Structure formats: structure tokens, C-alpha cells
Amino acid sequence: MEKEAELGEKEFEQMVRALPSDAVKELLSHGVCTRCIFRLFGLQGPVYASPPSLSSLFDATQQDCLCTLCLGILQFTYSNVQNDNLPLLIADMVKRQAYQFDTFSLEVSIPPIIIDDVNFLCSYMKTKYGSQPWFQENLHSGCISTKDALKFSLIYPLQNLLECKSNMGPFRIRLTYTHTKGNDKSSDCAAETCKRRKIGMSLCEPSIVGERSFSSTLENDSSDCCKFLLEKANEPCHFTYSCYRTPFYFGGRYLKYSRNVSQTRWIIDDERMGEASVEEIIGGNILQACQGDSFKFHAAGREDIDVRMLGPGRPFLVEVQNGRHIPSELFVKDIEKTINKMENKLVRVKNLKLVGSDGWNLMREGEAEKQKQYAALVWISRPLKDEDIQCVSSLKDLKVLQRTPIRVLHRRSPLEREKIIHWMKTETIAGSSQYFLLHLCTQAGTYIKEFVHGDLGRTHPSIGSILGCRAEILQLDVTDIKMECFLT
């Protein structure tokens, strides 16, 4: 490995020495830093982490100042951070956050003025050196962006400090650079860029007017032209850095045994409705175990606070934001056991597992066409007869028109919806002739309570209209949701 490293250094030194000395000396004289010169000529690799001195290699004078091209970004010089060892600073921050990760990637945001200055410099360099062979081979086609050069500078030392490889994965290190310079210039450049795009010109290719002005200026004094293009930088960029993990998802099914638990946290006039919520019980336990910042709870539909969710349960997803703990299969099972062993027994979880972002597809797959089964405790104003039982059970794929229920009209659009009741059957209750259990399978989105009592005629037909009497629903349970996801 050491021999390979030595060979790489020798090869790179040869590449550096092969750079056009006149162009390198001019860039150095105008305050362009070593890393920016490397990237302008398309050099790549770990040399950015510890660049050699170009002034000694080319016997040139290099100004000891802020780089006029990257504004100090590639010199690790910032207005608000005083630290020469940027990789160590970032690594210490990552370790303090106590993330678990096996790879990392860098995200970089830089001020637009830096991109504008590079475009100006490319135009100038083409005007002066465009006829030379090295320009077409290197500067014109192989220029590396400031972002990529910064990544070359940081990735190799960070891999050693964090003891893992850099790769596009869920753990990200974000570096953000801002600068107050060039608001007017950026606006002018944006307008010029828009103009050039309209007439089909390249950003690195000056307009005819610009090219003439460059040429005429060069005839008089090329140094003045470069100073015009690259103003001396006095203020470095403002630098902020952070790290985060992209969201990961838990999928499963939940059962709700209480008639006083809402699906999501429900607050009205600063007063909680219900004793708890499914969202808080499941999501709160998952968030705590994953040491995340926040979570989002998503479910395939919802039941009212006074409706139990039984049977196989309702599919759900929990999206964990910025989790620091990497969940393993055993870890996920421990979360499920913790939720299911809670003393109040309000909610239970089944088949909890870690899923990818494709969990959304599993949730949505067939959601519009899914069927739901219910069990409702119904009271009618007269005794239930045998012919009533036969009448109800004989109805198949019954079409029902439902206007938006009165109870939700304040938050839902006033629409009329056609829904299908696929089948129904009744179950008598011993010792009671006016109470019975109604089992039914319906299309998703059917308002069951309104189908029983009719909602003052807004749902038709209804159990009340079918039986020709008043009907009221006393209790309701969801007993099955016909979806394939998270069944095992």
C-alpha cells in the first residue's frame, strides 16, 4: 500500500509539473489558490487533501490572501470558523451526535457568485489561451466544480477519521457556504445567463461583444482584464455544517382496543380528546428507540375515536426523521414487544418491520379498491323478524348514495358519493329482539354510521329504510381491511 501511495504521489507530481507554467503563474499572481488551479485543469484524487506548493514547483510568486475564485472555501478559511483542520472539526461534530453508520456522503451548497466567477474566468482563459493545445484538453472540457474539489479535499481524511467509506447512503454530512458579495453581480449574471440560453450560447463562451472587449483589453493590458474579472476577495464565506440521516420507515399493522383513543393526536381548544392516540403510542416508542428528531405517522385510512380496530389490524407506516440508531431485525422486534407489553393495553402492533421508501407503494397499492369489514351493534324501533334477517342477507353489491354526513360537513366538501355494500348478515342477540349485530363488507370510504341510521335521508338506502323503521348504531368495530401489505 505504501509503495502504491508513493507511486501515486510521483505520478501526480508529474501531472502537476506538466501543467502550463505561464497559465499557472498568472493564476497564482491573481490570488487563485492551489486547489482552484488543480480543479481548473481537471486534476482529481487525494492530492486535494494535502496539496503541494505550486509556487515552489513553478518558481512563482503566490499571494498570501483569500482566493479570488473560491472565496476561501478550498482554503478552509471562513468568517465564523477558526480551525485549520476542517476534516477533524467535522469528524468531531459527527462523533458528538452519536450516529450509527457504515458509510457517509457529503452535501455541499456554495454561493452563486463563485459559479459566476468561474464562468468569467473560463471566458478570459479561452480568450488568452484558447489556441493552445492544453486548453482544449484540460481547462475547456475537464474543469472540476468547487463542490467536487471540496469533496476531494475532505473525503479522504474523513474516511480515516470516521473509519468508514464515502458512499451514497442514508447518512449525510451537509456543508453550507454563504457570502454577502456579489448580489448585484449575481443578478446581472443571471440576466446574462438567461439571455445566452435564449440564443443558444454556452456559459463558457463569451458573446461577440464580450469577446471583442476581452481582445481589445488584452492588447493593452491582460493583467487589468484579469483584475476586472476577479476582484480581490476581502471577506471569506460564512460556513455552517451539520449531519443528518435520511428518513427510514417502519411498517406494520395496529389494533385499537379502546373506544377512547384517536388515531392521531386530537386537540380542540387546548383540550385533548381521548386518553391517548395510536400515533403517539406507536410513533413515540419507535422514535425513542431510534433516537430520532421527529416522526410522521401514516395509516391506510382511519377509524373514529369511538371505533375499535380489530381483526388483522390496519396497515400503517412510521417515518422517522434523522434517526441516530440503525434498527436491526432484533431491534425492531424489541420495539414491537415494548408496545404490546404496555400496561393500558390500548393498542397492539403486529408484523412490525423496517421497510424502504417502497412502503408507500405497498400502502397505496389497491387502497382505492380495498374492502373493509365491520361489526355494528344496531338498535331498531321494532322487534327484528326472520324476514328482516333474510332481506338483509340477500342484498349483494348494494349501491348506496351518500351525501357528506352532517357530522363532518364542517370540514368536508358537500359531495354525493356512490358506494357499494358488498354483503351483509345479521347476528341476533339472545334475550333481545330489538338489538342485533350487523356484519357487513363495504367499499372503502363508506360511512357506516350513516348507512345504519340514514343521516336524515342524506344516505339512501339505509338499514332504517330497508327495514322500514328507525335504526340507530350503538357501537362499531372494524374487523378487517382487505389489503395485502404487512400481513406477515
Side-chain angles (χ1 to χ4, degrees):
M1 292 294 291
E2 291 181 0
K3 290 183 178 180
E4 291 179 2
E6 290 177 4
L7 182 62
E9 290 177 4
K10 290 179 180 179
E11 289 179 347
F12 191 84
E13 185 175 336
Q14 292 175 358
M15 292 172 61
V16 172
R17 290 186 180 277
L19 296 177
S21 60
D22 53 344
V24 171
K25 289 179 180 180
E26 182 175 7
L27 290 171
L28 288 173
S29 68
H30 289 296
V32 179
C33 71
T34 299
R35 289 187 176 100
C36 276
I37 293 175
F38 286 168
R39 69 185 183 87
L40 286 172
F41 289 101
L43 299 185
Q44 302 183 33
V47 70
Y48 282 86
S50 182
S53 172
L54 289 182
S55 57
S56 59
L57 286 175
F58 288 90
D59 191 23
T61 302
Q62 183 173 15
Q63 295 186 15
D64 185 16
C65 62
L66 200 64
C67 177
T68 53
L69 201 57
C70 70
L71 302 179
I73 290 178
L74 297 180
Q75 295 170 301
F76 302 160
T77 302
Y78 313 117
S79 62
N80 61 318
V81 176
Q82 303 297 325
N83 194 310
D84 294 334
N85 196 333
L86 184 59
L88 182 60
L89 185 70
I90 295 172
D92 287 343
M93 178 270 296
V94 170
K95 292 176 181 178
R96 285 196 305 271
Q97 295 288 328
Y99 284 92
Q100 291 182 339
F101 57 93
D102 48 18
T103 63
F104 72 92
S105 61
L106 292 178
E107 294 180 346
V108 180
S109 174
I110 63 173
I113 185 64
I114 292 177
I115 301 173
D116 297 334
D117 283 347
V118 171
N119 291 334
F120 280 127
L121 181 61
C122 286
S123 297
Y124 167 71
M125 296 293 282
K126 180 177 181 179
T127 303
K128 186 169 184 179
Y129 300 106
S131 61
Q132 298 188 24
W134 60 261
F135 180 87
Q136 294 296 331
E137 295 175 3
N138 295 306
L139 191 72
H140 187 64
S141 59
C143 180
I144 295 174
S145 69
T146 305
K147 292 182 180 181
D148 288 340
L150 182 64
K151 290 177 181 179
F152 280 132
S153 305
L154 295 175
I155 281 176
Y156 295 99
L158 280 176
Q159 287 182 153
N160 293 329
L161 291 168
L162 299 177
E163 298 180 344
C164 65
K165 293 293 184 181
S166 171
N167 197 5
M168 183 54 68
F171 181 66
R172 315 284 173 84
I173 299 172
R174 178 179 292 165
L175 312 178
T176 304
Y177 300 86
T178 56
H179 200 277
T180 57
K181 174 190 173 186
N183 290 333
D184 295 337
K185 187 175 179 181
S186 294
S187 300
D188 294 341
C189 287
E192 179 66 18
T193 298
C194 182
K195 179 180 177 182
R196 291 180 180 182
R197 283 175 179 166
K198 287 180 180 178
I199 60 176
M201 295 182 64
S202 169
L203 283 176
C204 289
E205 198 167 59
S207 63
I208 296 176
V209 176
E211 191 171 349
R212 286 177 180 171
S213 64
F214 283 140
S215 301
S216 60
T217 306
L218 284 171
E219 290 175 1
N220 298 322
D221 191 346
S222 62
S223 178
D224 289 342
C225 180
C226 194
K227 287 178 181 178
F228 168 75
L229 291 171
L230 296 174
E231 300 173 359
K232 185 175 181 180
N234 296 316
E235 182 184 354
C237 288
H238 184 275
F239 172 57
T240 58
Y241 56 105
S242 61
C243 57
Y244 73 99
R245 186 190 303 281
T246 56
F248 51 83
Y249 302 86
F250 290 84
R253 291 195 172 220
Y254 76 81
L255 294 92
K256 179 166 77 80
Y257 299 123
S258 171
R259 299 192 188 278
N260 195 30
V261 171
S262 57
Q263 186 186 82
T264 57
R265 191 166 179 260
W266 189 12
I267 304 294
I268 298 179
D269 296 331
D270 296 327
E271 183 178 350
R272 170 187 280 277
M273 300 291 106
E275 57 183 305
S277 71
V278 176
E279 173 188 53
E280 291 170 300
I281 293 173
I282 298 177
N285 277 278
I286 290 177
L287 181 67
Q288 182 179 6
C290 295
Q291 300 174 29
D293 289 348
S294 61
F295 71 90
K296 295 179 181 178
F297 183 85
H298 314 273
R302 66 169 60 232
E303 67 282 335
D304 291 339
I305 188 172
D306 59 347
V307 176
R308 295 188 300 179
M309 180 66 238
L310 306 177
R314 185 183 296 276
F316 72 88
L317 277 179
V318 173
E319 177 183 345
V320 178
Q321 307 284 339
N322 200 21
R324 289 160 179 78
H325 192 284
I326 299 177
S328 63
E329 187 175 342
L330 182 61
F331 173 78
V332 174
K333 291 300 179 185
D334 288 340
I335 298 176
E336 182 175 318
K337 290 177 182 177
T338 299
I339 296 172
N340 293 341
K341 288 181 179 179
M342 294 179 67
E343 292 183 5
N344 52 29
K345 304 293 183 182
L346 301 175
V347 173
R348 183 170 178 264
V349 172
K350 295 173 62 176
N351 308 326
L352 187 66
K353 62 184 69 176
L354 191 66
V355 298
S357 56
D358 59 344
W360 286 110
N361 296 329
L362 294 174
M363 287 273 286
R364 293 181 179 131
E365 189 175 297
E367 191 174 33
E369 302 298 326
K370 70 176 182 285
Q371 297 180 5
K372 295 183 179 180
Q373 292 183 16
Y374 300 88
L377 177 60
V378 178
W379 171 89
I380 57 175
S381 58
R382 61 168 177 78
L384 185 69
K385 303 174 183 178
D386 290 340
E387 49 265 36
D388 296 329
I389 297 175
Q390 294 176 0
C391 174
V392 169
S393 61
S394 67
L395 297 173
K396 306 295 182 184
D397 294 328
L398 175 67
K399 292 183 179 180
V400 176
L401 289 178
Q402 292 193 306
R403 294 166 64 187
T404 302
I406 294 173
R407 64 186 172 93
V408 298
L409 198 54
H410 64 285
R411 66 175 188 270
R412 299 279 175 86
S413 300
L415 302 174
E416 185 174 77
R417 304 167 180 86
E418 182 180 89
K419 297 296 179 180
I420 297 176
I421 310 298
H422 296 289
W423 55 260
M424 293 182 287
K425 64 179 181 179
T426 59
E427 179 183 345
T428 59
I429 298 175
S432 176
S433 61
Q434 291 180 260
Y435 294 87
F436 64 92
L437 288 175
L438 176 66
H439 299 275
L440 65 166
C441 177
T442 74
Q443 181 183 351
T446 305
Y447 291 104
I448 304 302
K449 294 176 180 178
E450 283 68 26
F451 173 66
V452 172
H453 58 64
D455 198 27
L456 301 178
R458 297 172 66 86
T459 291
H460 186 82
S462 64
I463 290 296
S465 66
I466 292 170
L467 298 180
C469 63
R470 180 184 167 193
E472 297 292 344
I473 185 168
L474 305 180
Q475 289 183 344
L476 180 63
D477 295 332
V478 183
T479 56
D480 197 4
I481 295 178
K482 298 295 185 179
M483 291 179 66
E484 296 298 323
C485 61
F486 311 138
L487 281 172
T488 57

